[in-house]
Amino acid sequence: MSVDDTSDTRHDARTEPDPPTRSGPPGTWSGLRPLLLRLHFYAGVFVAPFLVVAALSGLLYVFTPQLDEAVYHDIVHVPDQSTSVPLAEQVDAGMAARPGDDLLAVRPAPTGTDATQVIFEAPDLPASYRRTAFVDPHTAEVTGVLETYGSGQALPIRAWVDNLHRGLHLGDAGRLYSELAASWLWVVALGGVVLWLSKRRRRTLLRPEPGATGRRRVLTWHGATGLWVAVGLVFLSATGLTWSQHAGANITDVRSALSWETPAVSTALPESAMPGPDVGLDRVVAVARDHGVVGEIEVVGPAMPGEAYVVQQVGRQWPSQQDSVAIDPATAQVVETLRFEDYPLMAKLARWGIDAHMGLLFGWVNQLVLVALGTGLLSVIFWGYRMWWLRRPRRDGASAFGRPPERGAWRRVPGTVLAPLVVLLAFVAYFVPLLGVSLLAFWAWDALLGWRARRSKVRQEAGS
């Protein structure tokens, strides 16, 4: 939203604006600031509605783990008992509940009060959905079958809200909204910070100006709050883009080119491996736990002869537990081990970033931070629209818009600054396509308004 602090004496005549802080060659900032301010304004007006939807659905998503626990407690949790049945028997019970379904993976109960998850492929459901039978590890009784979503095994409520936040339940077309919001969020946040810090003010930067009234009061709330949440908003934007369709694909390509992908153990057995009868899930899990793969784990069986079992930790909280091992199904020998500490740094950052974005990495503290960021974003947007409303045209025909950023100010920017800036914008627009397309749309709209204004001026001059 616009943070133009041009004084409007109709709203606040107590103070005069402080002189701008100049930096760089003469004319550089005086040309760039109106351009940045106009961009910040257009993005605030036209992209803010998408950000509101993303923020509201994101705030709802934050609390879905607790909602799922409350609604599905009797399915995912069981009474603790002193004895348990073999894991293979639990899986057989789950498969009996879904005859004909293809087994995908098994998540043994991590504690005595959790149910074992027997996970099946669900080709009749949307992508990333599965069907999961929950089995009491003490009695092998099926407590229920639920549609689950994603690698995190989201339960139905969380899955529904996740798809709402991601794409409004409109498929790939709906995902354009969230990508547009994520593409512009970092631009709006950083642009607002630059504009807020670009003038020396008598008021403090980190809190609203005491005693300010009218639009100036709204501006100080808008700017100070935006400064507090800016880093978090940039983080949410960056991590959100990794899930997007177009920018996300470019990010994946870059990670691949730089060998920053998340590694995985190989399922291929060595040529020296001897065929034989399968040792079974219980033996495989016991061997994996002896090798330090403990806590919440997922077991994926061999897809065909000559492949190994893969047992991987699936914990999403700090400290990260993402170790995995490949185990020979005939000998129960560990043929490959991958520790999270051996991941490339960028793969670790991606794992931490995604889990923090989802509110999982630091538990309830993570959830509270996300609530603060979402609430802060909604507040900044509200104050931005409030400033716009306070400067609307009045009924008497007089404009209440104050001094708008002048057109053509960019011409005062030296070529040594403008040329690299254009190249940088083109580079960013290429890797974040929706940002580039919408930026062109804003430019075309602004150019049309400028053409209309010039045409109107010429007609007025001709009529006089």
Side-chain angles (χ1 to χ4, degrees):
M1 302 301 295
S2 174
V3 293
D4 180 15
D5 60 353
T6 303
S7 295
D8 187 344
T9 56
R10 284 183 292 272
H11 296 302
D12 185 5
R14 298 178 306 102
T15 58
E16 296 180 357
D18 296 327
T21 300
R22 304 279 184 179
S23 60
T28 299
W29 181 240
S30 64
L32 285 178
R33 187 176 190 279
L35 181 64
L36 178 59
L37 182 56
R38 191 176 291 274
L39 177 65
H40 192 67
F41 170 78
Y42 280 130
V45 171
F46 295 111
V47 179
F50 298 98
L51 293 174
V52 168
V53 174
L56 290 175
S57 57
L59 285 172
L60 180 59
Y61 181 86
V62 168
F63 299 104
T64 53
Q66 287 81 1
L67 291 172
D68 275 335
E69 281 286 316
V71 174
Y72 304 107
H73 182 274
D74 293 340
I75 295 178
V76 301
H77 295 294
V78 298
D80 196 2
Q81 299 182 32
S82 58
T83 59
S84 298
V85 300
L87 180 60
E89 187 175 336
Q90 300 173 43
V91 174
D92 288 341
M95 295 180 69
R98 295 299 307 175
D101 285 2
D102 294 329
L103 181 65
L104 183 62
V106 176
R107 293 193 176 190
T111 70
T113 59
D114 293 313
T116 291
Q117 300 179 36
V118 185
I119 307 167
F120 301 94
E121 294 182 354
D124 58 314
L125 296 177
S128 300
Y129 272 90
R130 305 151 171 193
R131 284 191 178 88
T132 300
F134 293 84
V135 182
D136 189 326
H138 310 294
T139 64
E141 294 181 359
V142 175
T143 59
V145 178
L146 297 174
E147 294 179 359
T148 53
Y149 178 76
S151 60
Q153 281 292 93
L155 298 181
I157 292 177
R158 183 171 155 203
W160 189 89
V161 177
D162 186 298
N163 277 283
L164 175 68
H165 180 64
R166 186 189 300 255
L168 303 177
H169 292 278
L170 297 175
D172 289 342
R175 292 181 63 186
L176 295 177
Y177 113 85
S178 59
E179 182 167 355
L180 182 65
S183 298
W184 276 99
L185 180 56
W186 67 276
V187 178
V188 174
L190 292 181
V193 168
V194 171
L195 290 169
W196 184 243
L197 298 178
S198 65
K199 286 198 171 185
R200 299 185 184 277
R201 294 176 169 84
R202 300 187 183 98
R203 56 184 175 275
T204 58
L205 295 176
L206 296 177
R207 64 186 180 90
E209 181 181 357
T213 60
R215 181 181 171 277
R216 189 179 184 91
R217 177 175 180 272
V218 179
L219 170 65
T220 62
W221 277 98
H222 177 87
T225 304
L227 195 60
W228 276 103
V229 301
V231 173
L233 297 183
V234 171
F235 166 80
L236 292 178
S237 174
T239 51
L241 284 174
T242 63
W243 283 304
S244 63
Q245 287 178 286
H246 304 290
N250 290 333
I251 293 172
T252 299
D253 291 342
V254 170
R255 290 183 62 186
S256 177
L258 298 176
S259 299
W260 287 348
E261 313 105 306
T262 299
V265 294
S266 172
T267 60
L269 293 174
E271 294 182 1
S272 58
M274 300 295 293
D278 196 306
V279 297
L281 280 171
D282 292 271
R283 180 78 183 280
V284 168
V285 171
V287 170
R289 295 197 186 283
D290 288 341
H291 279 74
V293 184
V294 296
E296 298 180 56
I297 63 172
E298 180 175 277
V299 185
V300 178
M304 60 183 66
E307 291 190 352
Y309 279 96
V310 174
V311 184
Q312 179 170 2
Q313 293 174 321
V314 292
R316 309 298 289 270
Q317 289 191 323
W318 181 272
S320 295
Q321 293 186 325
Q322 294 289 310
D323 294 352
S324 57
V325 293
I327 299 176
D328 190 321
T331 64
Q333 297 295 313
V334 174
V335 295
E336 186 172 339
T337 301
L338 176 63
R339 304 294 182 187
F340 182 72
E341 63 187 24
D342 297 325
Y343 278 28
L345 176 60
M346 292 305 298
K348 290 180 179 178
L349 292 176
R351 175 78 275 160
W352 292 328
I354 290 172
D355 291 341
H357 186 114
M358 298 172 68
L360 303 174
L361 189 60
F362 299 109
W364 63 268
V365 174
N366 201 156
Q367 291 179 302
L368 290 179
V369 171
L370 290 178
V371 169
L373 289 176
T375 304
L377 175 59
L378 291 172
S379 300
V380 167
I381 292 172
F382 168 77
W383 287 318
Y385 277 119
R386 177 61 176 163
M387 285 190 292
W388 186 33
W389 179 256
L390 289 174
R391 300 175 71 181
R392 70 193 185 282
R394 300 187 312 202
R395 290 185 178 180
D396 59 7
S399 174
F401 279 94
R403 295 195 305 270
E406 58 180 308
R407 296 182 185 275
W410 59 271
R411 295 186 180 89
R412 295 198 299 268
V413 180
T416 53
V417 175
L418 189 61
L421 180 61
V422 172
V423 172
L424 177 62
L425 286 175
F427 178 80
V428 173
Y430 175 80
F431 281 98
V432 190
L434 286 192
L435 175 65
V437 171
S438 53
L439 184 60
L440 286 175
F442 291 157
W443 173 81
W445 176 256
D446 194 57
L448 176 62
L449 293 181
W451 174 79
R452 290 183 60 186
R454 290 191 298 271
R455 186 179 181 185
S456 176
K457 183 178 180 180
V458 168
R459 286 180 176 178
Q460 290 177 358
E461 292 175 351
S464 61

